[in-house]
Amino acid sequence: MAKQMFLNLPVKDLDKSVQFFTALGFSFNPDFTDENATCMIINDDAFVMLLVENYFKTFTSKPIADARSTTEAILSFSLDSREAVDEVVRTALTACGTPSEEAQDYGFMYTHSFQDPDGHLWEVFWMDPAGPPKDAAL
């Protein structure tokens, strides 16, 4: 079974991406940061590698998706409260992010989303630790 998770994302402007995610409260591992890439720390076992597009291209023979016009993935992370979800989305929109979907309240789960400066879709959510009611439709 996997021990750690590394997600790799192409970015156009590494400095702008670092500023954006720093504003959201993320930190970066300086040991894995240079002019081509940085390692954004999600938690002790999950990381997002932000790679300048030309460097990202060295890892694949496929074309890079334009995240502003196509959906390549929806990246999600949880927070401790509904209020924290809304605060992160407000901060993202203030820090050059763009709106994505409206907030959704499912009672036991609350989600809201934004797009980062490169158009990657991020969903932020809170989920009741008790989980969904037995009869809830997901």
Side-chain angles (χ1 to χ4, degrees):
M1 184 54 123
K3 302 266 188 220
Q4 295 180 318
M5 175 72 172
F6 287 83
L7 174 70
N8 296 276
L9 290 177
V11 299
K12 294 189 183 316
D13 183 329
L14 188 60
D15 290 335
K16 183 176 183 177
S17 293
V18 168
Q19 289 172 4
F20 176 78
F21 287 108
T22 298
L24 296 182
F26 290 101
S27 59
F28 300 84
N29 183 334
D31 293 335
F32 297 101
T33 299
D34 62 17
E35 68 279 355
N36 290 312
T38 190
C39 179
M40 184 170 77
I41 302 166
I42 304 298
N43 62 39
D44 289 343
D45 295 313
F47 310 90
V48 176
M49 297 298 299
L50 301 174
L51 309 172
V52 175
E53 282 186 347
N54 284 338
Y55 185 58
F56 186 93
K57 287 178 187 178
T58 67
F59 295 96
T60 181
S61 58
K62 291 182 173 184
I64 296 174
D66 178 357
R68 290 190 176 108
S69 63
T70 61
T71 301
E72 82 240 286
I74 300 173
L75 311 161
S76 301
F77 62 93
S78 66
L79 295 172
D80 293 332
S81 69
R82 295 168 188 258
E83 296 77 20
V85 167
D86 287 336
E87 181 60 29
V88 164
V89 172
R90 272 193 301 276
T91 301
L93 299 179
T94 301
C96 297
T98 56
S100 187
E101 303 298 322
E102 294 294 321
Q104 301 292 315
D105 190 343
Y106 300 99
F108 70 95
M109 183 171 70
Y110 178 75
T111 70
H112 205 169
S113 57
F114 61 88
Q115 296 177 53
D116 69 22
D118 289 285
H120 303 292
L121 299 175
W122 291 84
E123 181 178 76
V124 188
F125 69 95
W126 165 85
M127 190 174 312
D128 186 330
K134 298 293 182 218
D135 61 347
L138 301 178

